[in-house]
Amino acid sequence: MAASAMVNAVKSVIPQLSYNSYKGQAGRIGVIGGSKDYTGAPYFAAISVLKVGGDLSHVVCTSDSAAIIKSYSPELIVHPILDSENAVADISEWLPRFHSLVIGPGLGRDSKTLDTVKGVIAKARDLDIPMVIDADGVFLLSEQPDIIKGYKQAVLTPNAVEFNRLYTSVIGTDADNSNFQESTKRLSAALGNVTIVRKGPSDIISGGNNVIECSSRGSPRRCGGQGDLLAGSLGVFLYWGMMAMQKNIKEPTLLSYGPTVCAAYAACLLTRECNALAFTKCGRSMTTSDMIERIYAGMEGLYGDREKSTT
């Protein structure tokens, strides 16, 4: 498949800006993560939601991380309920308001928190909420893969280490690292066609029935937080893709590959573009904050035809 065909599919799902739109229509996204030691990751994911074009970005985090995350930006809506006494019930009250979830940035591995996230995923599945699962969310799935098995509105975004751990848990053998495309496709199929993004020098994306690769330009810089930008932007693209399917948009590549794979490709391509743009300016000093500053330029350069407003 030509990269241009997938780019056209992505363009078809991006909603045009309109003076008749109302707040929340372009996406109300919930980021579930943030703990005492990890406050930057949920911020990067949540602010990327807004920079890509989502309208409202919520962070559900622990009580000891909330004030810190709030201090990073007044744009974010922060809920310090991830470690509350009735956390699953408290979070579940908010779930119907979210168009998609991004689970994992800065989550940590506290056993009580992971149990809460397990319960939240079950509630979200009952509500058919699309979700991106990243970082320690993927760690949880490697311990209990049945939590997500068969849920085709989910996209998992493991790095190489997380992928190998999850693969061994699900398949029962080590991943074949001589053929990333085949191992990614096999893992997706074994999970019931849950979309997998195996992040790496080339990002391998599979929904179980097909495989695509995103290997556009990036940079050799590997600062922390880039995966959070990818996860946050993916949360928006995932909602937009699902919305496009509901509107019965007849774009051939979108119909062939489906909204989860197209959304994953959109986020991978955008992250690589922001990486390249930031590295050109900042070089070795580049950080994820530099990349986030270039999301608009990346969106305009890659998908700009859909950025024009309508009345």
Side-chain angles (χ1 to χ4, degrees), residues 17 36 60 64 67 80 99 128 133 152 276 305 307:
L17 297 172
K36 181 180 180 180
V60 176
D64 54 6
H99 291 126
D128 291 323
I133 303 183
K152 296 181 182 179
D305 289 347
E307 293 294 282

Side-chain angles (χ1 to χ4, degrees), residues 152 154-156 163 180-198 203-214 257 260-262 264-265 268:
K152 296 181 182 179
V155 181
L156 316 185
F163 179 89
F180 293 146
Q181 291 200 6
E182 183 58 35
S183 60
T184 304
K185 182 179 179 181
R186 185 181 181 193
L187 177 57
S188 173
L191 284 170
N193 299 106
V194 172
T195 296
I196 306 286
V197 180
R198 187 194 186 280
D203 299 318
I204 311 299
I205 305 164
S206 179
N209 296 318
N210 45 48
V211 181
I212 61 172
E213 187 169 332
C214 184
Y257 283 85
T260 55
V261 171
C262 289
Y265 186 89
C268 290

Side-chain angles (χ1 to χ4, degrees), residues 157-174:
T157 58
N159 61 25
V161 173
E162 293 161 348
F163 179 89
N164 289 338
R165 185 188 298 119
L166 181 61
Y167 188 98
T168 300
S169 174
V170 174
I171 304 296
T173 61
D174 292 337

Side-chain angles (χ1 to χ4, degrees), residues 194-249:
V194 172
T195 296
I196 306 286
V197 180
R198 187 194 186 280
K199 297 180 291 190
S202 291
D203 299 318
I204 311 299
I205 305 164
S206 179
N209 296 318
N210 45 48
V211 181
I212 61 172
E213 187 169 332
C214 184
S215 55
S216 70
R217 67 176 187 159
S219 84
R221 180 77 169 116
R222 294 292 180 266
C223 56
Q226 297 180 61
D228 304 310
L229 190 163
L230 190 154
S233 62
L234 179 47
V236 181
F237 285 120
L238 184 57
Y239 165 60
W240 287 348
M242 296 296 182
M243 187 168 58
M245 298 300 286
Q246 291 177 9
K247 292 180 178 178
N248 204 27
I249 290 177

Side-chain angles (χ1 to χ4, degrees), residues 15-295:
Q16 289 190 333
L17 297 172
S18 171
Y19 290 101
N20 296 320
S21 298
Y22 56 83
K23 180 175 65 179
Q25 213 168 356
R28 301 186 299 271
I29 314 301
V31 177
I32 298 180
S35 54
K36 181 180 180 180
D37 293 328
Y38 302 109
T39 58
Y43 163 74
F44 285 143
I47 202 67
S48 296
V49 165
L50 298 176
K51 293 293 187 179
V52 167
D55 284 344
L56 294 169
S57 187
H58 297 249
V59 179
V60 176
C61 60
T62 59
S63 55
D64 54 6
S65 64
I68 300 170
I69 296 170
K70 284 182 180 181
S71 75
Y72 295 150
S73 173
E75 308 284 355
L76 308 180
I77 303 166
V78 181
H79 310 275
I81 55 176
L82 187 54
D83 57 351
S84 66
E85 185 176 351
N86 299 300
V88 174
D90 292 342
I91 298 168
S92 295
E93 291 183 11
W94 284 95
L95 290 180
R97 308 186 195 190
F98 298 148
H99 291 126
S100 69
L101 297 174
V102 179
I103 300 173
L107 188 65
R109 297 184 182 179
D110 176 79
S111 59
K112 183 179 178 181
T113 300
L114 293 180
D115 282 343
T116 295
V117 170
K118 177 181 177 181
V120 170
I121 291 175
K123 295 287 187 180
R125 289 187 63 160
D126 290 341
L127 295 171
D128 291 323
I129 300 173
M131 64 184 85
V132 179
I133 303 183
D134 184 46
D136 285 327
V138 177
F139 172 80
L140 171 62
L141 300 183
S142 69
E143 298 288 304
Q144 302 179 63
D146 286 345
I147 295 171
I148 205 65
K149 188 172 287 186
Y151 192 61
K152 296 181 182 179
Q153 296 194 75
V155 181
L156 316 185
T157 58
N159 61 25
V161 173
E162 293 161 348
F163 179 89
N164 289 338
R165 185 188 298 119
L166 181 61
Y167 188 98
T168 300
S169 174
V170 174
I171 304 296
T173 61
D174 292 337
D176 179 6
N177 288 323
S178 67
N179 191 336
F180 293 146
Q181 291 200 6
E182 183 58 35
S183 60
T184 304
K185 182 179 179 181
R186 185 181 181 193
L187 177 57
S188 173
L191 284 170
N193 299 106
V194 172
T195 296
I196 306 286
V197 180
R198 187 194 186 280
K199 297 180 291 190
S202 291
D203 299 318
I204 311 299
I205 305 164
S206 179
N209 296 318
N210 45 48
V211 181
I212 61 172
E213 187 169 332
C214 184
S215 55
S216 70
R217 67 176 187 159
S219 84
R221 180 77 169 116
R222 294 292 180 266
C223 56
Q226 297 180 61
D228 304 310
L229 190 163
L230 190 154
S233 62
L234 179 47
V236 181
F237 285 120
L238 184 57
Y239 165 60
W240 287 348
M242 296 296 182
M243 187 168 58
M245 298 300 286
Q246 291 177 9
K247 292 180 178 178
N248 204 27
I249 290 177
K250 300 292 187 181
E251 204 290 324
T253 303
L254 175 64
L255 295 177
S256 176
Y257 283 85
T260 55
V261 171
C262 289
Y265 186 89
C268 290
L269 186 62
L270 176 63
T271 302
R272 288 172 172 274
E273 182 70 6
C274 292
N275 183 282
L277 291 171
F279 186 76
T280 298
K281 181 69 174 179
C282 304
R284 191 180 296 273
S285 295
M286 186 195 81
T287 65
T288 296
S289 294
D290 298 313
M291 292 174 59
I292 289 170
E293 289 179 6
R294 288 158 177 85
I295 288 178

